[in-house]
Amino acid sequence: MLHIENITKYFGGLTALEDISFFVKEGIIEAIIGPNGAGKTTLLNIISGIYAPDKGSVRFKGLEINNTSPYQIAKAGISRTFQHVELFGNMTVLENIMVGRYLRTKAGLFACGFRLPSASAEERAIKRDSEQILEYIGLSHRRNEKASSLPIGEERKLEIGRAIATEPSLLLLDEPASGLNEVETSDLSFFIKKLRDQKNITIILVEHDMRLVMDISDSIVVLDFGKMLAEGTPQEIQNNKLVIDAYLGEDEEVCL
Ligand SMILES: Nc1ncnc2c1ncn2[C@@H]1O[C@H](COP(=O)(O)OP(=O)(O)OP(=O)(O)O)[C@@H](O)[C@H]1O
Ligand SMILES: [Mg+2]
């Protein structure tokens, strides 16, 4: 589904990513792990069109997308969440989902915003679909509350809800468990698996929580200082000497 080929990205004199290549199969959860500053978010930014790579290419369903705008990439079916939750804090929970939904309508946000005649029927459909998404993510009871008033676990879920409202076939999650407690994390883990299994969404998961990663990933890519250190199943990664030395550490508990 997604081919990452020889991706290199510089920030001034810093090489954030160097010659990264891997392939993400349709229908799986692919984790990207690595220490702070390894280049994980930079890679998600390249896939979602926020940055252009200096070398290499990204192909999604056979089409090269590395010179495509974030909007066009979202339209093509790639959606994402951010390391630091980025919701519209002053909007309600329902409105946040509706924003994601506009991408899939003919009129688009522009027409709806200016109340063109074509917009009203479509707006009702958007509202109905958004209510369904809220139901799916279990936040219906919060529909009229301000997004900024939610606890972090629900904020992260709402951000995923907004991302899936665009009907992506590929979803990029940047540290979705960050700031969550154990119960919220296990709830999230169940939810991410549900997106893969029920909605058939392929997922790229950047995450530091190793228990979550080892529990739900089908495949793992390990980055270290912008280089690709290893790729394999959770089992293979846990037994990889290079990975243990660079990242997981010798501690059995961390490797789990
Ligand atoms: N816009 C930018 N301008 C300059 N340097 C940047 C920029 N974005 C990232 N970097 C640098 O690129 C490197 C990789 O950063 P990146 O955010 O991709 O790491 P990460 O693996 O996501 O780390 P973390 O686990 O802390 O989120 C870091 O050294 C970072 O300082
Ligand atoms: Mg990051």
Side-chain angles (χ1 to χ4, degrees):
M1 170 174 258
L2 188 79
H3 285 265
I4 307 281
E5 277 171 351
N6 310 107
I7 289 292
T8 294
K9 177 71 188 169
Y10 306 112
F11 291 115
L14 178 94
T15 306
L17 293 169
E18 191 178 344
D19 203 22
I20 303 295
S21 300
F22 62 94
F23 173 67
V24 182
K25 271 195 248 155
E26 187 165 354
I28 70 160
I29 298 175
E30 175 90 47
I32 301 177
I33 65 171
N36 293 119
K40 306 179 296 294
T41 297
T42 302
L43 188 55
L44 293 195
N45 284 339
I46 287 174
I47 298 169
S48 55
I50 292 173
Y51 297 146
D54 291 302
K55 289 183 200 158
S57 76
V58 181
R59 276 185 299 129
F60 177 59
K61 296 179 174 171
L63 287 176
E64 191 160 301
I65 56 165
N66 39 284
N67 283 311
T68 312
S69 71
Y71 175 73
Q72 287 301 337
I73 289 177
K75 277 228 149 188
I78 300 181
S79 179
R80 70 171 295 177
T81 66
F82 295 87
Q83 187 162 349
H84 304 287
V85 176
E86 293 194 19
L87 290 165
F88 301 105
N90 278 324
M91 288 183 169
T92 67
V93 167
L94 178 65
E95 285 164 349
N96 268 273
I97 300 283
M98 288 173 70
V99 169
R101 205 61 214 152
Y102 280 114
L103 187 85
R104 281 288 160 240
T105 64
K106 279 207 286 315
L109 188 55
F110 181 78
C112 291
F114 288 90
R115 309 245 169 239
L116 298 182
S118 65
S120 55
E122 220 155 35
E123 223 178 314
R124 280 196 299 278
I126 287 171
K127 203 160 180 190
R128 192 196 54 224
D129 296 344
S130 301
E131 301 269 12
Q132 275 173 10
I133 293 165
L134 275 188
E135 185 82 40
Y136 187 76
I137 63 174
L139 286 183
S140 292
H141 60 295
R142 299 279 206 190
R143 64 193 295 285
N144 294 322
E145 289 178 37
K146 266 192 177 185
S148 58
S149 72
L150 298 183
I152 178 76
E154 291 183 347
E155 273 188 339
R156 294 226 174 251
K157 236 183 185 171
L158 178 56
E159 212 192 3
I160 296 177
R162 189 180 58 190
I164 63 173
T166 68
E167 293 178 9
S169 46
L170 177 65
L171 175 63
L172 317 176
L173 301 175
D174 198 350
E175 300 198 26
S178 162
L180 304 195
N181 64 32
E182 217 169 300
V183 176
E184 290 166 330
T185 303
S186 93
D187 182 47
L188 178 77
S189 141
F190 181 74
F191 181 60
I192 296 174
K193 278 194 281 195
K194 206 165 93 167
L195 293 178
R196 177 194 60 190
D197 300 337
Q198 290 183 351
K199 292 205 176 279
N200 197 28
I201 300 177
T202 306
I203 289 157
I204 296 185
L205 170 70
V206 167
E207 187 49 65
H208 281 290
D209 184 325
M210 281 309 116
R211 188 185 290 245
L212 175 65
V213 167
M214 297 304 171
D215 186 28
I216 69 173
S217 307
D218 300 294
S219 170
I220 301 175
V221 164
V222 187
L223 299 182
D224 189 32
F225 290 109
K227 294 205 173 89
M228 198 152 143
L229 198 65
E231 184 180 16
T233 62
Q235 193 71 37
E236 286 163 353
I237 294 302
Q238 283 172 67
N239 295 322
N240 184 306
K241 177 93 174 66
L242 282 175
V243 179
I244 293 170
D245 289 349
Y247 184 49
L248 293 179
E250 306 285 348
D251 188 346
E252 294 271 309
E253 258 192 335
V254 179
C255 299
L256 212 133

